[in-house]
Amino acid sequence: MSAKYKAIKSIIALINIQRIMAQPYDHLQRTFKTAAAQPHIPKLSDPGFDFSVLKVNGFPVLAVKHKAPAKGVCVFVAGGGMLKYPKPSQAREMITYAKKLGRDMILPYYPLCHGHNLYDVYDMLYELYRELLTKYPAEEIAFLGGSSGGNHTLGLISHINAKKEKLPMPGKVYVSSPGTMLYSDEEMQRAERLDKTDLVMSRKALETIFDGMSAGKEVPEYMRYLQKGDYTGLQEIYLCFGGDELFSAAASSLKKRMEECGVKVTLEIGEGLYHCYSTMPFVPEAKQGYENMIQYLKTS
């Protein structure tokens, strides 16, 4: 383990982020100041790109488009447990992704939990995807999601099937540490061990956050359990989990379910690594995961 990774782990353990994230959801809303949150999209500038903000279901979506026509687009679905909007730094990162992937980039500022629930998120992402299909062939549309954004990304595939409007599936999907509720006894047993190694999440936090995102309403099974989703029609996917994180307890069952639906699955589990390491390569050990993600999503 690198010195930098050891230092980061020590700091996180000292702060005890696990304890913070295990607070009741209304406490988390106050911690993140969700009720007062507003989308803040910084002014972006780069000679190779055009920038615009459109509205989908009343919520802003940042579009970063190559001035020279690009082959394809990637939708980045940020995480945050519906408690916070993407940071300005994430908006600026869309330029980096656009350059590395050779794709236009889309960053949706989907609804937060204050006054909204998971249905609103899925409906907004569904409408965004439907609009993108009028501009790009389905096979040239990619999705990149992390944490709860990974959950929404995978749930969107099931949502497309549940809508029965026969929309074609996106060409590529990459998710980093998608959050899901645990379903089987085997997953629970794995999670018991991972509770001791995860730097951020715990089983208690997982239940709290999912209950908060559903806002007390009954939601379809696929919105709570990715392992029970319907991925029919999706051609391929790349799943990435940190080996030390709680969500990896569901990795094998999620892969199995997708394969039952006819999906070609690449599963990467970074030994000894943390939640969303491939999208947040803070330490040397995470760099390869980041490169694997870029190689998978870049246009040929």
Side-chain angles (χ1 to χ4, degrees):
M1 186 184 300
S2 66
K4 185 175 183 180
Y5 193 12
K6 287 180 181 177
I8 289 175
K9 289 185 78 168
S10 297
I11 292 169
I12 292 175
L14 187 64
I15 297 171
N16 200 351
I17 293 179
Q18 256 198 352
R19 181 187 58 80
I20 295 171
M21 295 306 297
Q23 296 178 93
Y25 199 69
D26 58 339
H27 289 200
L28 286 173
Q29 287 178 298
R30 290 194 289 274
T31 298
F32 287 95
K33 301 179 181 179
T34 304
Q38 295 292 328
H40 175 51
I41 304 175
K43 185 174 181 179
L44 301 176
S45 177
D46 188 286
F49 298 93
D50 291 319
F51 305 94
S52 61
V53 177
L54 55 140
K55 288 288 184 76
V56 175
N57 288 7
F59 290 88
V61 175
L62 171 66
V64 178
K65 298 192 68 174
H66 290 258
K67 287 188 175 177
K71 185 182 178 183
V73 64
C74 182
V75 182
F76 180 80
V77 187
M82 290 178 63
L83 293 162
K84 57 182 181 177
Y85 288 113
K87 299 175 184 177
S89 60
Q90 289 176 298
R92 288 188 284 269
E93 191 178 20
M94 294 306 100
I95 300 174
T96 301
Y97 276 129
K99 290 177 178 178
K100 287 180 177 287
L101 302 182
R103 297 178 183 269
D104 297 331
M105 292 298 300
I106 301 292
L107 178 63
Y109 290 71
Y110 56 76
L112 302 185
C113 59
H114 185 70
H116 299 280
N117 61 39
L118 278 170
Y119 272 112
D120 300 313
V121 175
Y122 282 92
D123 284 343
M124 188 261 194
L125 292 177
Y126 183 86
E127 186 59 34
L128 170 61
Y129 181 57
R130 187 157 56 180
E131 289 189 22
L132 288 175
L133 285 169
T134 67
K135 301 178 177 68
Y136 303 88
E139 62 270 19
E140 294 182 5
I141 300 176
F143 276 81
L144 165 58
S147 192
S148 59
N151 169 276
H152 304 332
T153 297
L154 295 186
L156 175 62
I157 304 302
S158 294
H159 200 56
I160 290 170
N161 282 322
K163 287 276 193 180
K164 299 186 184 300
E165 293 182 354
K166 298 184 178 179
L167 294 188
M169 291 294 177
K172 286 193 172 185
V173 174
Y174 180 102
V175 286
S176 177
S177 302
T180 183
M181 293 290 288
L182 303 174
Y183 186 79
S184 68
D185 290 340
E186 185 179 1
E187 291 171 0
M188 297 289 189
Q189 290 168 7
R190 290 179 191 147
E192 187 174 353
R193 175 182 60 81
L194 292 163
D195 238 343
K196 300 177 178 66
T197 59
D198 197 313
L199 298 174
V200 177
M201 290 296 293
S202 63
R203 285 174 294 173
K204 181 179 179 181
L206 178 60
E207 294 174 5
T208 296
I209 289 173
F210 267 88
D211 286 345
M213 290 194 300
S214 60
K217 299 189 183 225
E218 288 295 322
V219 296
E221 194 173 48
Y222 66 80
M223 291 189 186
R224 294 182 68 83
Y225 304 103
L226 296 178
Q227 316 89 305
K228 306 291 284 184
D230 181 3
Y231 304 99
T232 306
L234 186 65
Q235 295 298 306
E236 61 177 278
I237 190 165
Y238 198 119
L239 303 175
C240 181
F241 293 90
D244 277 4
E245 69 164 317
L246 185 74
F247 293 151
S248 68
S252 60
S253 52
L254 179 55
K255 179 177 184 286
K256 179 181 177 182
R257 175 58 183 161
M258 290 178 165
E259 290 175 339
E260 290 172 349
C261 293
V263 185
K264 178 184 175 183
V265 182
T266 300
L267 173 61
E268 174 182 325
I269 299 181
E271 184 178 354
L273 286 170
Y274 51 89
H275 182 68
C276 284
Y277 72 89
S278 61
T279 56
M280 298 187 294
F282 301 137
V283 301
E285 292 88 339
K287 302 296 184 185
Q288 187 59 56
Y290 177 80
E291 289 303 321
N292 293 344
M293 175 186 69
I294 295 299
Q295 288 302 313
Y296 176 74
L297 289 171
K298 73 187 300 186
T299 57
S300 54

